[in-house]
Amino acid sequence: MNRIDQKFRDNRKLLSIYFSAGHPNLEDTVPILKKLESSGVDMVEIGLPFSDPLADGPTIQKSSTQALRNGMTTDKLLSQLKNIRTHIDIPLVLMGYFNPMMQFGIEKFCKRCESIGIDGLIIPDLPVDVYQREYKNLFDKHGLYNMFLITPQTSEERIRYIDKVSKGFIYMVSSASVTGAKNTFGNNQIDYFQRVSAMRLTSPTLVGFGISNSVTYAAATQYSNGAIIGSAFIKFLEDKGVERINEFILSIRN
Amino acid sequence: MNYNVDEKGYYGDFGGAYIPEMLYPNISELRENYLKISMESEFKKEFDDLLKDYVGRPTPLYFAKRLSEKYNTKIYLKREDLCHTGAHKVNNTIGQILLAKRLGKNRIIAETGAGQHGVATATVCALMGIKCVVYMGAIDIKRQAPNVARMKMLGAEVYPAKSGSKTLKDATNEAIRDWINNPIDTHYIIGSVVGPHPYPDMVARFQSVISEETKWQLKEQEGRDYPDHVIACVGGGSNAAGIYFHYLNDERVNIIAVEAAGKGIDSGESAATSVLGKEGIIHGSKTLLMQTHDGQITEPYSISAGLDYPGIGPMHAHLYRTKRAEFISIPDQEAMDWGLILSQMEGIIPAIETAHAFAVLDIRKFKEHEIIVFNCSGRGDKDLDTYIEHFKL
């Protein structure tokens, strides 16, 4: 069974963390993963840096640019993760834009992911229909889940369709925005969480974008199976460093 | 072979809409409406009237006598440089603003490199009384101060793109992010035949007025409505798409696309995407683009700010791959020389982008009876500083 499915069987509210691989320092990837797991994080999205991350806000853009400057590449990241399953048991998802994966070679990329023990991928600029048509078979063959996004503007019909073709979970983007930390959610967002919750989807949902503290985490997980934190964690890493990751995780779960 | 877009939004291997889910509703709305709306007779009339009375169309198809004599062939110039705002860009912004109005949008965003598309967008927004925000790379804002001032005079807000390389590709990223953040009231006017489907086709159609006019103008002057060669410069490729459009499937017409070689193809400072690019995804479109081995998009270089885009429109990538079009790249120096030649032989100071196209005359031999149409896409006013510096005027 895929580790992602296993996680959701526990029926707890999950906390998933995103970070850009290669930031703050090139070799931080594995130490960050170890700290996250020991701090009780349920899942990790490892960001593959890209020069033109058009769905990301300033924090992730900056970390991505820094990671590239540090020398991060697709090949480098996969090498860093080569023996990761000897240390880490939680689900690992790679999140990145499609062009670097294309240049690496999608088939080769999927093979490497499978051999490492990557559980799934999130590729924001690979649309559902193109995935279904051209890449689904390949991903399936290598046991990789591909998670899709929905937003407050996604129609009910399309949410139903995405639910039907989803594996793992649905990534609920909290608001019409690029990534970035926010302090509270407005009524519109809560309405949207409630609306999707009332649809009783087959796939679990994780809320992402704009989660930054215990308040937004609690609000988001009230209507979903968990939440994903990216920008706020990256800022913490920059300020406090890898050693103190558990403080951040405690502050969220508080 | 069909060189127009197919029903899925592809030109052969290229095109499509590789967009984040956040943009799906906006792009679907456009895809479902752009053909329907632009075919309506009321839309057509408003579009045609504005092109005529406001832009100054039809632009002349001018027989360049001295140039023709010198190169012993028949050379025509399609005078898009005479359009209001100084280039062909306004054909597209007029079309898109009329479309945006009909879709109920009350805010316009645009990206701009040198500022020509930004000015053309700010112009039509002023014309329609619609709020306008233009994203421009922080470096370009410094380099192109007069166009920034023009946009501001026209009432637009100019936001600097401070991410990445702080130039056109980053301005485009910022505009896309703005659209993600404002999905309901905002229309994004892309300035070239790039971006996710339906943009490349939509922009090409609005620009197709260029070849539509060329056909009847040639018929009047030469007794036949097609030339032997059409030649245009290609950055993203909107002026080229406009002059090629009605000749794409007419194999009697040889299509020549001219890219900017910058300081030379192998110099590391070039914008010759067809030679240096590989298939990939940029700004929501699968096309040829300049990138590292690892798939990071690189910064192109050309002396002309309008040609330094790291990709080319998917239509052009298809024309290149199928060999329907002949691609030629011209270095800075030759382009600059042609800025002077055209000025002194025909009394037309071209934009540096446009000057690249003419340099083909030194490379390719044309026959005496052949008819060549150059798209004279823009005027050189905006480039005076570069000309002054280069020629120590």
Side-chain angles (χ1 to χ4, degrees):
Chain A
M1 182 186 246
N2 189 299
R3 290 180 193 87
I4 299 172
D5 293 335
Q6 216 147 19
K7 265 293 164 197
F8 284 106
R9 281 217 305 199
D10 302 350
N11 214 14
R12 289 182 307 113
K13 301 294 182 187
L14 305 190
L15 172 60
S16 185
I17 293 288
Y18 169 94
F19 71 97
S20 302
H23 171 269
N25 304 298
L26 182 60
E27 299 298 339
D28 283 344
T29 313
V30 175
I32 290 173
L33 287 172
K34 285 181 179 171
K35 273 281 173 196
L36 285 172
E37 184 170 76
S38 69
S39 306
V41 163
D42 299 296
M43 193 184 325
V44 184
E45 275 100 47
I46 306 169
L48 191 59
F50 183 46
S51 55
D52 295 74
L54 42 79
D56 285 301
T59 306
I60 293 180
Q61 285 173 44
K62 226 179 90 199
S63 64
S64 191
T65 305
Q66 187 57 48
L68 291 174
R69 273 198 204 121
N70 291 345
M72 184 49 81
T73 63
T74 308
D75 190 52
K76 175 83 190 160
L77 176 61
L78 296 173
S79 306
Q80 287 178 343
L81 295 175
K82 195 168 173 232
N83 299 314
I84 198 69
R85 284 301 174 198
T86 56
H87 318 287
I88 303 281
D89 295 323
I90 55 175
L92 296 176
V93 173
L94 291 189
M95 183 162 182
Y97 292 83
F98 196 47
N99 195 52
M101 299 176 194
M102 250 180 99
Q103 303 313 318
F104 191 83
I106 301 296
E107 179 143 27
K108 190 172 130 201
F109 183 74
C110 288
K111 268 187 196 155
R112 289 275 293 270
C113 285
E114 184 186 20
S115 71
I116 288 167
I118 297 296
D119 303 289
L121 292 154
I122 302 173
I123 311 169
D125 60 344
L126 179 63
V128 185
D129 57 325
V130 180
Y131 172 75
Q132 292 291 110
R133 199 172 58 228
E134 294 179 30
Y135 301 104
K136 184 183 179 299
N137 290 342
L138 191 62
F139 279 47
D140 286 349
K141 188 176 137 198
H142 294 285
L144 295 167
Y145 284 4
N146 185 31
M147 271 67 70
F148 302 113
L149 278 57
I150 61 170
T151 81
Q153 270 69 47
T154 311
S155 67
E156 177 165 348
E157 187 192 354
R158 190 162 168 85
I159 294 177
R160 293 273 177 223
Y161 166 67
I162 288 173
D163 186 35
K164 210 178 105 197
V165 300
S166 278
K167 284 181 175 175
F169 61 88
I170 291 176
Y171 192 134
M172 259 178 86
V173 175
S174 68
S175 62
S177 78
V178 293
T179 55
K182 291 184 184 66
N183 290 322
T184 54
F185 285 127
N187 289 339
N188 286 347
Q189 284 163 297
I190 302 292
D191 286 350
Y192 155 64
F193 297 158
Q194 286 174 338
R195 177 164 60 87
V196 175
S197 170
M199 286 177 71
R200 307 202 169 280
L201 303 176
T202 345
S203 319
T205 52
L206 292 184
V207 179
F209 290 37
I211 320 276
S212 66
N213 52 29
S214 57
V215 178
T216 39
Y217 176 74
T221 51
Q222 194 182 339
Y223 307 101
S224 67
N225 304 84
I228 303 169
I229 302 183
S231 297
F233 176 71
I234 288 170
K235 275 185 197 151
F236 180 92
L237 265 186
E238 283 170 0
D239 295 346
K240 308 278 167 61
V242 177
E243 280 311 305
R244 294 171 67 179
I245 282 175
N246 62 328
E247 292 172 33
F248 180 82
I249 304 306
L250 275 174
S251 77
I252 301 297
R253 281 247 163 91
N254 180 16
Chain B
M1 177 98 55
N2 174 28
Y3 298 100
N4 289 102
V5 77
D6 68 20
E7 70 283 356
K8 286 201 171 77
Y10 284 82
Y11 299 86
D13 299 332
F14 302 108
Y18 294 79
I19 46 162
E21 186 64 27
M22 292 81 108
L23 288 177
Y24 183 82
N26 310 36
I27 294 293
S28 308
E29 183 184 35
L30 265 188
R31 196 185 57 226
E32 284 157 20
N33 288 291
Y34 82 107
L35 283 178
K36 199 169 68 191
I37 291 177
S38 60
M39 301 287 180
E40 283 167 6
S41 58
E42 195 211 346
F43 178 99
K44 277 188 180 162
K45 183 172 184 328
E46 201 177 349
F47 183 54
D48 291 346
D49 286 352
L50 281 170
L51 288 185
K52 175 169 170 280
D53 301 328
Y54 188 71
V55 174
R57 304 202 72 92
T59 59
L61 182 71
Y62 163 70
F63 178 67
K65 192 160 168 288
R66 293 190 62 205
L67 215 52
S68 297
E69 275 167 12
K70 183 174 177 198
Y71 288 90
N72 198 27
T73 185
K74 284 185 187 172
I75 298 171
Y76 284 88
L77 272 52
K78 182 60 175 158
R79 296 293 308 277
E80 293 301 298
D81 58 313
L82 295 176
C83 289
H84 179 42
T85 72
H88 70 289
K89 289 285 184 192
V90 72
N91 302 326
N92 168 48
T93 59
I94 296 256
Q96 286 203 48
I97 196 110
L98 294 178
L99 185 68
K101 264 177 58 178
R102 281 162 176 77
L103 292 173
K105 309 292 178 182
N106 56 30
R107 181 173 175 271
I108 295 293
I109 54 172
E111 85 295 336
T112 197
Q116 287 308 102
H117 173 59
V119 169
T121 304
T123 300
V124 298
C125 286
L127 181 69
M128 297 293 165
I130 293 181
K131 187 177 157 53
C132 178
V133 170
V134 179
Y135 288 90
M136 189 167 181
I139 290 176
D140 290 333
I141 285 181
K142 276 193 192 149
R143 288 195 292 206
Q144 309 286 339
N147 271 342
V148 176
R150 279 188 193 105
M151 287 184 267
K152 286 182 177 166
M153 267 194 88
L154 292 160
E157 287 179 63
V158 182
Y159 290 171
K162 294 174 181 163
S163 58
S165 50
K166 305 183 177 66
T167 58
L168 176 59
K169 88 178 167 72
D170 308 283
T172 309
N173 292 337
E174 286 303 327
I176 292 173
R177 288 178 190 124
D178 180 307
W179 211 19
I180 289 174
N181 288 322
N182 299 283
I184 303 199
D185 64 340
T186 298
H187 174 70
Y188 176 18
I189 300 190
I190 294 185
S192 194
V193 286
V194 301
H197 177 69
Y199 276 103
D201 184 49
M202 179 168 69
V203 176
R205 282 168 185 270
F206 288 141
Q207 292 294 1
S208 71
V209 64
I210 302 172
S211 47
E212 194 183 306
E213 289 174 3
T214 304
K215 283 184 83 170
W216 64 256
Q217 289 170 320
L218 262 186
K219 180 86 184 165
E220 269 181 18
Q221 298 185 57
E222 288 287 343
R224 61 161 152 120
D225 67 358
Y226 66 95
D228 297 292
H229 308 271
V230 278
I231 306 179
C233 63
V234 174
S238 67
N239 91 78
I243 194 102
Y244 301 162
F245 196 87
H246 290 285
Y247 298 121
L248 284 172
N249 296 315
D250 183 343
E251 303 276 355
R252 294 171 301 185
V253 181
N254 180 44
I255 294 175
I256 300 179
V258 183
E259 293 182 302
K263 293 180 180 169
I265 297 283
D266 302 318
S267 67
E269 291 183 79
S270 177
T273 308
S274 67
V275 186
L276 299 169
K278 276 188 305 176
E279 189 172 325
I281 288 165
I282 180 169
H283 299 135
S285 180
K286 189 189 274 185
T287 188
L288 296 171
L289 63 127
M290 291 168 60
Q291 51 185 318
T292 64
H293 177 70
D294 191 44
Q296 309 299 338
I297 299 172
T298 54
E299 193 56 25
Y301 164 83
S302 161
I303 193 161
S304 89
L307 298 182
D308 63 359
Y309 183 69
I312 47 172
M315 174 206 275
H316 299 300
H318 183 53
L319 295 177
Y320 175 75
R321 181 162 287 179
T322 57
K323 300 192 162 59
R324 172 70 184 94
E326 191 180 332
F327 275 67
I328 293 175
S329 42
I330 298 294
D332 288 353
Q333 183 61 49
E334 277 82 333
M336 293 303 283
D337 290 347
W338 268 93
L340 213 54
I341 297 170
L342 198 68
S343 299
Q344 298 182 358
M345 285 196 70
E346 297 293 343
I348 295 169
I349 301 176
I352 301 172
E353 291 82 355
T354 311
H356 281 76
F358 288 96
V360 167
L361 287 170
D362 290 327
I363 293 180
R364 271 287 254 105
K365 196 91 186 93
F366 298 101
K367 297 189 184 98
E368 191 177 347
H369 59 84
E370 285 187 319
I371 299 170
I372 305 161
V373 173
F374 281 96
N375 198 12
C376 192
S377 54
R379 70 177 87 125
D381 307 30
K382 70 177 177 65
D383 295 317
L384 267 189
D385 282 347
T386 315
Y387 282 136
I388 289 169
E389 199 183 317
H390 189 85
F391 294 113
K392 310 280 178 261
L393 299 169

